[in-house]
């Protein structure tokens, strides 16, 4: 349209006195209409263009509304995470976490969802490493991944994820993070027991008791009590074997 309008303008005489000629007047009116159409077309085009990332995020929202959790995860895995803003990372992390909760615990789809959730929470945490809520979300994603690995009987990977959680947040004073650390240690101990590594299992219970034995938090006290019971059971089993 722009090229057409320019072509018409070049046909007009340079002398303004010729404006009284009806043909010239008609051409000018056509040029005006073409220019208006061009501006309207450009405005509509600018509105219609949606950045690819936003389009993909919208597709994930639609998949979640339809409870198509596997599709939401599949679409989320196709997004280049380095192109996402902090806000987009947060939304995508929440969306993938919702999808993970909707998937069967004994499925590779759930594990893929949690793998992605851990990566997204880590990416978001890089924007604000000291943000408590971001740390809690990352630790929670790690723990959920460990639980799923345990359900799938991938014990060595489960132990690795538990170790990562304890290493990252073991010295944190936030109670929510301390609880996740304690739960990860309990899980690690139980898994070591199923692998018939009872000496190492007892050592993990001792670590938990040493870390949180003096806590006045009742929820953490419950985890300490579990560690004491499990440790006693293992020692009893060893003595009777």
């Amino acid at each position: 349209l722009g090229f057409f309008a320019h072509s018409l303008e070049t046909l007009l005489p340079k002398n303004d006195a010729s404006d009284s000629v009806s043909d010239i007047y008609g051409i000018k009116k056509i040029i005006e209409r073409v220019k208006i159409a061009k501006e309207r077309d450009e405005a509509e085009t600018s509105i219609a263009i949606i950045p690819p990332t936003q389009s993909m995020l919208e597709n994930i929202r639609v998949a979640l509304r339809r409870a198509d959790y596997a599709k939401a995860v599949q679409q989320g895995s196709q997004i280049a995470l380095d192109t996402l803003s902090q806000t987009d990372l947060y939304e995508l992390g929440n969306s993938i976490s919702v999808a993970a909760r909707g998937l069967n615990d004994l499925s590779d789809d759930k594990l893929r969802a949690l793998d992605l959730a851990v990566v997204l929470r880590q990416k978001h945490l890089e924007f604000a490493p000291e943000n408590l809520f971001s740390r809690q979300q990352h630790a929670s994603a790690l723990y959920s991944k460990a639980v799923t690995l345990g359900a799938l009987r991938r014990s060595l990977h489960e132990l690795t994820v538990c170790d990562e959680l304890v290493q990252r947040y073991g010295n944190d004073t936030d109670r929510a993070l301390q609880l996740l650390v304690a739960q990860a240690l309990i899980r690690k101990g139980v898994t070591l027991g199923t692998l018939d590594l009872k000496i190492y299992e007892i050592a993990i219970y001792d670590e938990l008791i040493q870390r949180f034995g003096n806590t006045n938090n009742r929820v953490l006290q419950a985890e300490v009590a579990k560690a004491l019971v499990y440790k006693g059971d293992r020692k009893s089993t060893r003595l009777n074997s």
Side-chain angles (χ1 to χ4, degrees), residues 3-85:
F3 175 77
F4 181 55
H6 178 72
S7 298
L8 288 174
E9 286 178 329
T10 60
L11 296 176
L12 291 173
K14 303 300 182 183
N15 188 351
D16 291 341
S18 62
D19 287 355
S20 60
V21 181
S22 60
D23 287 347
I24 300 299
Y25 178 77
I27 292 175
K28 281 194 171 185
K29 297 301 289 185
I30 293 173
I31 291 172
E32 289 177 6
R33 288 198 293 269
V34 170
K35 286 182 176 179
I36 292 172
K38 177 178 179 292
E39 291 172 358
R40 185 170 56 245
D41 183 64
E42 288 176 345
E44 291 175 353
T45 301
S46 65
I47 293 173
I49 294 175
I50 301 175
T53 298
Q54 293 303 315
S55 177
M56 296 178 79
L57 287 172
E58 179 58 28
N59 290 338
I60 292 171
R61 296 183 196 112
V62 171
L64 289 177
R65 287 196 291 269
R66 295 174 177 172
D68 192 347
Y69 301 120
K71 185 174 182 180
V73 174
Q74 187 265 334
Q75 290 176 333
S77 65
Q78 294 177 353
I79 296 178
L81 302 186
D82 290 337
T83 67
L84 296 179
S85 66

Coordinates of all heavy atoms in Angstrom, one line a residue, residues 3-85:
F3 N 3.9 1.6 -1.2 CA 4.5 1.7 -2.5 C 3.5 2.3 -3.5 O 3.8 3.1 -4.4 CB 5.0 0.4 -3.0 CG 5.6 0.4 -4.4 CD1 6.9 0.9 -4.6 CD2 4.9 -0.1 -5.4 CE1 7.4 0.9 -5.9 CE2 5.4 -0.1 -6.7 CZ 6.6 0.4 -7.0
F4 N 2.2 1.8 -3.5 CA 1.2 2.2 -4.4 C 0.9 3.7 -4.2 O 0.8 4.5 -5.2 CB -0.1 1.4 -4.1 CG -1.2 1.7 -5.1 CD1 -1.0 1.7 -6.4 CD2 -2.4 2.1 -4.5 CE1 -2.1 2.0 -7.3 CE2 -3.5 2.4 -5.4 CZ -3.3 2.4 -6.8
A5 N 0.8 4.2 -2.9 CA 0.5 5.6 -2.7 C 1.7 6.4 -3.2 O 1.4 7.5 -3.8 CB 0.4 5.8 -1.2
H6 N 2.9 6.0 -3.0 CA 4.1 6.8 -3.5 C 4.1 6.8 -5.0 O 4.4 7.9 -5.6 CB 5.4 6.1 -3.0 CG 6.6 6.8 -3.5 ND1 7.0 8.0 -3.0 CD2 7.5 6.4 -4.4 CE1 8.1 8.4 -3.6 NE2 8.4 7.4 -4.5
S7 N 3.7 5.7 -5.7 CA 3.7 5.7 -7.1 C 2.6 6.7 -7.7 O 2.9 7.4 -8.6 CB 3.3 4.3 -7.6 OG 4.3 3.4 -7.2
L8 N 1.5 6.8 -7.0 CA 0.5 7.7 -7.4 C 0.9 9.2 -7.2 O 0.7 10.1 -8.1 CB -0.8 7.5 -6.6 CG -1.6 6.2 -7.0 CD1 -2.8 6.1 -6.0 CD2 -2.1 6.3 -8.4
E9 N 1.6 9.4 -6.1 CA 2.1 10.8 -5.9 C 3.1 11.3 -6.9 O 3.1 12.5 -7.3 CB 2.7 10.9 -4.5 CG 1.7 10.8 -3.3 CD 2.4 10.9 -2.0 OE1 3.5 10.3 -1.9 OE2 1.8 11.4 -1.0
T10 N 3.9 10.4 -7.4 CA 4.9 10.8 -8.5 C 4.2 11.2 -9.8 O 4.8 11.8 -10.6 CB 5.9 9.6 -8.7 OG1 5.1 8.5 -9.1 CG2 6.6 9.3 -7.4
L11 N 2.9 10.7 -9.9 CA 2.2 11.0 -11.2 C 1.6 12.4 -11.1 O 1.2 13.0 -12.2 CB 1.1 10.0 -11.4 CG 1.6 8.6 -11.7 CD1 0.3 7.7 -11.8 CD2 2.4 8.5 -12.9
L12 N 1.5 13.0 -9.9 CA 0.9 14.3 -9.8 C 1.8 15.4 -10.3 O 3.0 15.4 -10.0 CB 0.5 14.6 -8.3 CG -0.6 13.8 -7.8 CD1 -0.7 14.1 -6.3 CD2 -1.9 14.1 -8.5
P13 N 1.3 16.4 -11.0 CA 2.1 17.6 -11.4 C 2.6 18.3 -10.2 O 2.0 18.4 -9.1 CB 1.1 18.5 -12.2 CG 0.0 17.5 -12.6 CD -0.1 16.5 -11.5
K14 N 3.7 19.0 -10.3 CA 4.3 19.7 -9.2 C 3.7 21.0 -9.0 O 3.8 21.6 -7.9 CB 5.8 19.9 -9.5 CG 6.6 18.7 -9.7 CD 6.6 17.8 -8.5 CE 7.4 16.5 -8.7 NZ 7.3 15.6 -7.6
N15 N 3.0 21.5 -10.0 CA 2.3 22.9 -9.9 C 1.0 22.8 -9.2 O 0.1 22.0 -9.6 CB 2.1 23.4 -11.3 CG 1.6 24.8 -11.3 OD1 1.3 25.4 -10.2 ND2 1.5 25.5 -12.5
D16 N 0.9 23.4 -8.0 CA -0.3 23.4 -7.2 C -1.6 23.9 -7.9 O -2.7 23.6 -7.6 CB -0.1 24.1 -5.9 CG 0.8 23.4 -5.0 OD1 1.1 22.2 -5.2 OD2 1.4 24.1 -4.1
A17 N -1.3 24.8 -9.0 CA -2.5 25.3 -9.7 C -3.3 24.3 -10.4 O -4.5 24.5 -10.7 CB -2.0 26.4 -10.7
S18 N -2.7 23.2 -10.7 CA -3.4 22.1 -11.4 C -4.4 21.4 -10.5 O -5.1 20.5 -11.0 CB -2.4 21.1 -12.0 OG -1.7 20.5 -10.9
D19 N -4.5 21.8 -9.2 CA -5.4 21.1 -8.3 C -6.8 21.3 -8.7 O -7.7 20.5 -8.3 CB -5.2 21.6 -6.9 CG -3.9 21.1 -6.3 OD1 -3.3 20.3 -7.0 OD2 -3.6 21.6 -5.2
S20 N -7.1 22.2 -9.6 CA -8.5 22.5 -9.9 C -9.0 21.4 -11.0 O -10.2 21.3 -11.2 CB -8.6 23.9 -10.5 OG -7.8 24.0 -11.7
V21 N -8.1 20.7 -11.5 CA -8.5 19.7 -12.5 C -9.1 18.5 -11.8 O -8.5 18.0 -10.8 CB -7.2 19.3 -13.3 CG1 -7.7 18.2 -14.4 CG2 -6.6 20.4 -14.0
S22 N -10.2 18.1 -12.2 CA -11.0 17.0 -11.5 C -10.2 15.7 -11.4 O -10.2 15.0 -10.4 CB -12.3 16.8 -12.2 OG -12.1 16.4 -13.5
D23 N -9.5 15.3 -12.5 CA -8.7 14.1 -12.5 C -7.6 14.1 -11.4 O -7.4 13.1 -10.7 CB -8.1 13.8 -13.9 CG -9.1 13.5 -14.9 OD1 -10.3 13.1 -14.5 OD2 -8.8 13.5 -16.1
I24 N -7.0 15.2 -11.3 CA -5.9 15.4 -10.3 C -6.5 15.3 -8.9 O -6.0 14.6 -8.0 CB -5.1 16.7 -10.5 CG1 -4.5 16.8 -11.9 CG2 -4.1 16.8 -9.4 CD1 -3.5 15.7 -12.1
Y25 N -7.6 15.9 -8.8 CA -8.3 15.9 -7.5 C -8.7 14.4 -7.1 O -8.5 14.0 -6.0 CB -9.6 16.8 -7.5 CG -10.4 16.7 -6.2 CD1 -10.0 17.5 -5.1 CD2 -11.5 16.0 -6.2 CE1 -10.7 17.4 -4.0 CE2 -12.3 15.9 -5.0 CZ -11.9 16.7 -3.9 OH -12.6 16.6 -2.7
G26 N -9.2 13.7 -8.1 CA -9.6 12.3 -7.8 C -8.4 11.4 -7.4 O -8.5 10.6 -6.5
I27 N -7.2 11.7 -8.1 CA -6.0 10.9 -7.7 C -5.6 11.2 -6.3 O -5.2 10.3 -5.5 CB -4.9 11.2 -8.7 CG1 -5.2 10.7 -10.1 CG2 -3.6 10.6 -8.2 CD1 -4.2 11.0 -11.2
K28 N -5.7 12.5 -5.9 CA -5.3 12.9 -4.5 C -6.2 12.2 -3.5 O -5.7 11.8 -2.5 CB -5.4 14.4 -4.4 CG -4.2 15.1 -5.0 CD -4.1 16.5 -4.5 CE -2.8 17.2 -4.9 NZ -2.7 18.5 -4.3
K29 N -7.5 12.1 -3.8 CA -8.4 11.4 -2.9 C -8.0 10.0 -2.7 O -8.1 9.4 -1.7 CB -9.8 11.6 -3.3 CG -10.3 13.0 -3.4 CD -10.3 13.7 -2.0 CE -11.3 13.1 -1.1 NZ -11.3 13.9 0.2
I30 N -7.7 9.3 -3.9 CA -7.3 7.9 -3.8 C -6.0 7.7 -3.0 O -5.9 6.8 -2.2 CB -7.0 7.4 -5.3 CG1 -8.4 7.3 -6.1 CG2 -6.4 6.0 -5.2 CD1 -8.2 7.0 -7.5
I31 N -5.1 8.7 -3.2 CA -3.8 8.6 -2.4 C -4.1 8.7 -0.9 O -3.6 7.9 -0.1 CB -2.9 9.7 -2.8 CG1 -2.3 9.5 -4.2 CG2 -1.7 9.8 -1.8 CD1 -1.5 10.6 -4.8
E32 N -5.0 9.6 -0.5 CA -5.4 9.7 0.9 C -6.0 8.5 1.4 O -5.7 8.0 2.6 CB -6.4 10.9 1.1 CG -5.7 12.3 0.8 CD -6.8 13.4 0.9 OE1 -7.9 13.1 1.3 OE2 -6.4 14.6 0.7
R33 N -6.9 7.9 0.7 CA -7.5 6.6 1.1 C -6.5 5.5 1.2 O -6.6 4.7 2.2 CB -8.7 6.2 0.2 CG -9.9 7.1 0.3 CD -11.1 6.5 -0.3 NE -11.0 6.3 -1.8 CZ -11.4 7.2 -2.6 NH1 -11.9 8.4 -2.2 NH2 -11.2 7.0 -3.9
V34 N -5.6 5.4 0.3 CA -4.5 4.4 0.4 C -3.7 4.6 1.6 O -3.3 3.6 2.3 CB -3.7 4.4 -0.9 CG1 -2.5 3.5 -0.8 CG2 -4.5 4.0 -2.1
K35 N -3.3 5.8 1.9 CA -2.5 6.1 3.1 C -3.2 5.7 4.4 O -2.7 5.1 5.3 CB -2.1 7.5 3.1 CG -1.0 7.9 2.1 CD -0.7 9.4 2.3 CE 0.5 9.7 1.3 NZ 0.9 11.2 1.4
I36 N -4.5 6.0 4.4 CA -5.3 5.6 5.6 C -5.4 4.1 5.8 O -5.3 3.6 6.9 CB -6.7 6.2 5.5 CG1 -6.7 7.8 5.6 CG2 -7.7 5.7 6.6 CD1 -8.0 8.5 5.3
A37 N -5.6 3.4 4.6 CA -5.7 2.0 4.7 C -4.3 1.4 5.1 O -4.3 0.4 5.9 CB -6.0 1.4 3.3
K38 N -3.2 2.0 4.7 CA -1.9 1.5 5.1 C -1.7 1.7 6.6 O -1.2 0.8 7.2 CB -0.8 2.3 4.3 CG 0.6 1.9 4.7 CD 1.6 2.7 3.9 CE 3.0 2.4 4.3 NZ 3.4 2.9 5.6
E39 N -2.1 2.8 7.1 CA -1.9 3.1 8.6 C -2.8 2.1 9.4 O -2.3 1.5 10.4 CB -2.3 4.5 8.9 CG -1.4 5.5 8.4 CD -1.9 6.9 8.5 OE1 -3.0 7.1 9.1 OE2 -1.1 7.9 8.2
R40 N -4.0 1.8 8.9 CA -4.9 0.9 9.6 C -4.3 -0.5 9.5 O -4.4 -1.3 10.5 CB -6.3 0.9 9.0 CG -7.3 0.0 9.7 CD -8.7 0.3 9.2 NE -8.9 0.1 7.8 CZ -9.1 1.0 6.9 NH1 -9.3 2.3 7.3 NH2 -9.3 0.7 5.7
D41 N -3.8 -0.9 8.4 CA -3.2 -2.2 8.2 C -2.0 -2.4 9.2 O -1.8 -3.5 9.8 CB -2.8 -2.4 6.8 CG -2.2 -3.8 6.5 OD1 -3.0 -4.8 6.7 OD2 -1.0 -3.9 6.2
E42 N -1.2 -1.4 9.3 CA 0.0 -1.4 10.2 C -0.4 -1.6 11.6 O 0.2 -2.3 12.4 CB 0.9 -0.2 10.0 CG 1.6 -0.2 8.6 CD 2.4 1.1 8.4 OE1 2.2 2.0 9.2 OE2 3.3 1.1 7.6
A43 N -1.5 -0.8 12.0 CA -2.0 -0.9 13.4 C -2.5 -2.3 13.7 O -2.2 -2.8 14.8 CB -3.0 0.2 13.6
E44 N -3.3 -2.9 12.8 CA -3.8 -4.2 13.0 C -2.7 -5.2 13.1 O -2.8 -6.2 13.9 CB -4.8 -4.5 11.9 CG -6.1 -3.7 12.0 CD -7.0 -4.0 10.8 OE1 -6.6 -4.7 9.9 OE2 -8.1 -3.5 10.8
T45 N -1.7 -5.1 12.3 CA -0.6 -6.0 12.3 C 0.2 -6.0 13.6 O 0.5 -7.0 14.1 CB 0.4 -5.7 11.1 OG1 -0.3 -5.8 9.9 CG2 1.5 -6.7 11.1
S46 N 0.4 -4.8 14.1 CA 1.1 -4.7 15.3 C 0.4 -5.3 16.5 O 1.0 -5.8 17.4 CB 1.4 -3.2 15.6 OG 0.2 -2.5 15.8
I47 N -1.0 -5.2 16.5 CA -1.8 -5.8 17.5 C -1.8 -7.3 17.4 O -1.8 -8.0 18.4 CB -3.2 -5.2 17.4 CG1 -3.2 -3.7 17.8 CG2 -4.1 -6.0 18.4 CD1 -4.5 -3.1 17.6
A48 N -1.8 -7.8 16.2 CA -2.0 -9.2 16.0 C -0.7 -10.0 16.3 O -0.8 -11.2 16.6 CB -2.3 -9.5 14.5
I49 N 0.5 -9.4 16.2 CA 1.7 -10.1 16.4 C 1.9 -10.3 17.9 O 1.9 -9.4 18.7 CB 2.9 -9.3 15.9 CG1 2.8 -9.2 14.4 CG2 4.2 -9.9 16.3 CD1 3.9 -8.3 13.7
I50 N 2.0 -11.6 18.3 CA 2.2 -12.0 19.7 C 3.6 -12.6 19.8 O 3.9 -13.5 19.0 CB 1.2 -13.0 20.2 CG1 -0.2 -12.4 20.1 CG2 1.4 -13.4 21.6 CD1 -1.3 -13.3 20.4
P51 N 4.5 -12.2 20.7 CA 5.8 -12.8 20.8 C 5.6 -14.3 21.0 O 4.7 -14.8 21.7 CB 6.4 -12.2 22.1 CG 5.6 -10.9 22.2 CD 4.3 -11.1 21.7
P52 N 6.5 -15.1 20.4 CA 6.4 -16.6 20.5 C 6.4 -17.1 21.9 O 5.6 -18.0 22.2 CB 7.7 -17.0 19.8 CG 8.1 -15.9 18.8 CD 7.6 -14.7 19.5
T53 N 7.1 -16.5 22.8 CA 7.1 -17.0 24.2 C 5.8 -16.8 24.8 O 5.3 -17.8 25.5 CB 8.2 -16.3 25.0 OG1 9.5 -16.6 24.5 CG2 8.2 -16.7 26.4
Q54 N 5.2 -15.7 24.6 CA 3.8 -15.4 25.2 C 2.8 -16.4 24.6 O 1.9 -16.8 25.3 CB 3.4 -14.0 25.0 CG 4.3 -13.0 25.7 CD 4.3 -13.2 27.2 OE1 3.2 -13.5 27.8 NE2 5.5 -13.2 27.8
S55 N 2.9 -16.7 23.3 CA 2.0 -17.6 22.7 C 2.2 -19.0 23.3 O 1.2 -19.7 23.5 CB 2.3 -17.7 21.2 OG 1.5 -18.6 20.5
M56 N 3.4 -19.4 23.6 CA 3.6 -20.7 24.1 C 3.1 -20.8 25.6 O 2.5 -21.8 26.0 CB 5.1 -21.1 24.1 CG 5.6 -21.2 22.6 SD 7.4 -21.6 22.5 CE 7.4 -23.3 22.9
L57 N 3.3 -19.7 26.3 CA 2.8 -19.7 27.7 C 1.3 -19.8 27.7 O 0.7 -20.4 28.6 CB 3.2 -18.4 28.4 CG 4.7 -18.3 28.8 CD1 5.0 -16.9 29.3 CD2 5.0 -19.3 29.8
E58 N 0.6 -19.1 26.7 CA -0.8 -19.2 26.6 C -1.3 -20.6 26.3 O -2.3 -21.1 26.8 CB -1.3 -18.2 25.6 CG -2.9 -18.2 25.4 CD -3.6 -17.9 26.7 OE1 -3.1 -17.2 27.5 OE2 -4.8 -18.4 26.8
N59 N -0.5 -21.3 25.4 CA -0.8 -22.7 25.1 C -0.8 -23.6 26.4 O -1.6 -24.5 26.5 CB 0.1 -23.2 24.0 CG -0.1 -22.6 22.7 OD1 -1.2 -22.1 22.4 ND2 0.9 -22.6 21.8
I60 N 0.2 -23.3 27.2 CA 0.3 -24.0 28.5 C -0.9 -23.8 29.4 O -1.4 -24.7 30.0 CB 1.6 -23.7 29.2 CG1 2.8 -24.2 28.3 CG2 1.7 -24.3 30.6 CD1 4.2 -23.8 28.8
R61 N -1.3 -22.5 29.5 CA -2.5 -22.2 30.3 C -3.7 -22.9 29.8 O -4.5 -23.4 30.6 CB -2.8 -20.7 30.2 CG -1.7 -19.8 30.8 CD -2.0 -18.3 30.7 NE -0.9 -17.5 31.0 CZ -0.3 -16.7 30.0 NH1 -0.9 -16.6 28.8 NH2 0.7 -16.0 30.3
V62 N -3.9 -23.0 28.5 CA -5.0 -23.7 27.9 C -4.9 -25.2 28.2 O -5.9 -25.8 28.6 CB -5.0 -23.5 26.3 CG1 -6.1 -24.5 25.7 CG2 -5.3 -22.1 26.0
A63 N -3.7 -25.8 28.1 CA -3.5 -27.2 28.5 C -3.9 -27.5 29.9 O -4.5 -28.5 30.2 CB -2.1 -27.6 28.1
L64 N -3.5 -26.6 30.8 CA -3.8 -26.8 32.2 C -5.3 -26.7 32.5 O -5.9 -27.5 33.3 CB -3.1 -25.7 33.1 CG -1.6 -25.9 33.2 CD1 -1.0 -24.8 34.0 CD2 -1.2 -27.2 33.9
R65 N -6.0 -25.8 31.8 CA -7.4 -25.6 32.0 C -8.1 -26.9 31.5 O -9.2 -27.2 32.0 CB -8.0 -24.4 31.2 CG -7.6 -23.1 31.9 CD -8.4 -21.9 31.3 NE -8.1 -21.6 29.9 CZ -7.2 -20.7 29.6 NH1 -6.5 -20.1 30.5 NH2 -7.0 -20.5 28.3
R66 N -7.5 -27.6 30.5 CA -8.1 -28.8 30.0 C -7.6 -30.0 30.8 O -7.9 -31.2 30.4 CB -7.8 -29.0 28.5 CG -8.4 -27.9 27.7 CD -8.0 -28.0 26.2 NE -8.6 -27.0 25.4 CZ -8.3 -26.7 24.1 NH1 -7.3 -27.4 23.5 NH2 -9.0 -25.8 23.4
A67 N -6.8 -29.8 31.8 CA -6.2 -30.9 32.6 C -5.4 -31.8 31.7 O -5.2 -33.0 32.1 CB -7.3 -31.7 33.3
D68 N -4.8 -31.3 30.7 CA -3.9 -32.0 29.8 C -2.5 -31.7 30.3 O -1.7 -31.0 29.7 CB -4.1 -31.6 28.3 CG -3.4 -32.6 27.4 OD1 -2.6 -33.4 27.9 OD2 -3.6 -32.5 26.2
Y69 N -2.1 -32.4 31.4 CA -0.9 -32.0 32.1 C 0.4 -32.4 31.3 O 1.4 -31.7 31.3 CB -0.9 -32.6 33.5 CG -2.1 -32.2 34.3 CD1 -3.0 -33.1 34.9 CD2 -2.3 -30.8 34.6 CE1 -4.1 -32.7 35.6 CE2 -3.4 -30.4 35.4 CZ -4.3 -31.3 35.9 OH -5.3 -30.9 36.6
A70 N 0.3 -33.6 30.7 CA 1.5 -34.1 29.9 C 1.8 -33.1 28.8 O 2.9 -32.8 28.5 CB 1.2 -35.5 29.4
K71 N 0.7 -32.6 28.1 CA 0.9 -31.6 27.1 C 1.5 -30.3 27.6 O 2.4 -29.7 26.9 CB -0.4 -31.4 26.3 CG -0.3 -30.5 25.1 CD -1.6 -30.4 24.3 CE -1.4 -29.5 23.1 NZ -2.7 -29.4 22.3
A72 N 1.0 -29.9 28.7 CA 1.6 -28.7 29.3 C 3.1 -28.8 29.6 O 3.8 -27.9 29.3 CB 0.8 -28.3 30.6
V73 N 3.5 -29.9 30.1 CA 4.9 -30.2 30.3 C 5.7 -30.2 29.0 O 6.8 -29.7 28.9 CB 5.1 -31.5 31.1 CG1 6.6 -31.8 31.3 CG2 4.5 -31.4 32.5
Q74 N 5.1 -30.9 28.1 CA 5.8 -31.0 26.8 C 6.0 -29.7 26.1 O 7.1 -29.4 25.6 CB 5.0 -31.9 25.8 CG 5.6 -32.3 24.5 CD 5.2 -31.4 23.4 OE1 4.1 -30.8 23.4 NE2 6.1 -31.2 22.4
Q75 N 5.0 -28.8 26.2 CA 5.1 -27.5 25.7 C 6.1 -26.6 26.5 O 6.8 -25.8 25.9 CB 3.7 -26.8 25.6 CG 2.8 -27.4 24.6 CD 1.4 -26.8 24.6 OE1 0.9 -26.4 25.6 NE2 0.7 -26.9 23.5
G76 N 6.1 -26.8 27.8 CA 7.0 -26.0 28.6 C 8.4 -26.4 28.3 O 9.3 -25.5 28.4
S77 N 8.7 -27.6 28.0 CA 10.1 -28.0 27.8 C 10.6 -27.5 26.5 O 11.8 -27.5 26.2 CB 10.1 -29.6 27.7 OG 9.4 -30.1 26.6
Q78 N 9.7 -27.0 25.6 CA 10.2 -26.4 24.3 C 10.5 -24.9 24.4 O 11.1 -24.4 23.4 CB 9.1 -26.6 23.3 CG 8.8 -28.1 22.9 CD 7.7 -28.3 22.0 OE1 7.0 -27.3 21.6 NE2 7.5 -29.5 21.5
I79 N 10.3 -24.3 25.5 CA 10.5 -22.9 25.7 C 12.0 -22.6 26.0 O 12.5 -23.3 26.9 CB 9.6 -22.2 26.7 CG1 8.2 -22.3 26.3 CG2 10.0 -20.8 27.0 CD1 7.2 -21.8 27.3
A80 N 12.6 -21.7 25.3 CA 14.0 -21.3 25.6 C 14.0 -20.5 26.9 O 13.6 -19.4 26.9 CB 14.6 -20.6 24.5
L81 N 14.5 -21.1 28.0 CA 14.3 -20.5 29.3 C 15.1 -19.2 29.4 O 14.7 -18.3 30.2 CB 14.8 -21.5 30.4 CG 14.0 -22.8 30.4 CD1 14.5 -23.6 31.6 CD2 12.5 -22.6 30.5
D82 N 16.2 -19.1 28.7 CA 17.0 -17.9 28.7 C 16.3 -16.6 28.2 O 16.8 -15.5 28.4 CB 18.4 -18.1 28.0 CG 19.3 -19.0 28.7 OD1 19.1 -19.2 30.0 OD2 20.2 -19.6 28.1
T83 N 15.2 -16.9 27.4 CA 14.5 -15.8 26.9 C 13.4 -15.3 27.8 O 12.7 -14.3 27.5 CB 13.8 -16.2 25.5 OG1 12.8 -17.2 25.8 CG2 14.9 -16.7 24.6
L84 N 13.2 -15.9 28.9 CA 12.1 -15.6 29.8 C 12.5 -14.5 30.8 O 13.6 -14.5 31.3 CB 11.6 -16.8 30.6 CG 11.0 -18.0 29.7 CD1 10.6 -19.1 30.6 CD2 9.8 -17.5 29.0
S85 N 11.5 -13.7 31.1 CA 11.7 -12.7 32.2 C 11.5 -13.4 33.6 O 11.1 -14.5 33.6 CB 10.7 -11.6 32.1 OG 9.4 -12.0 32.3

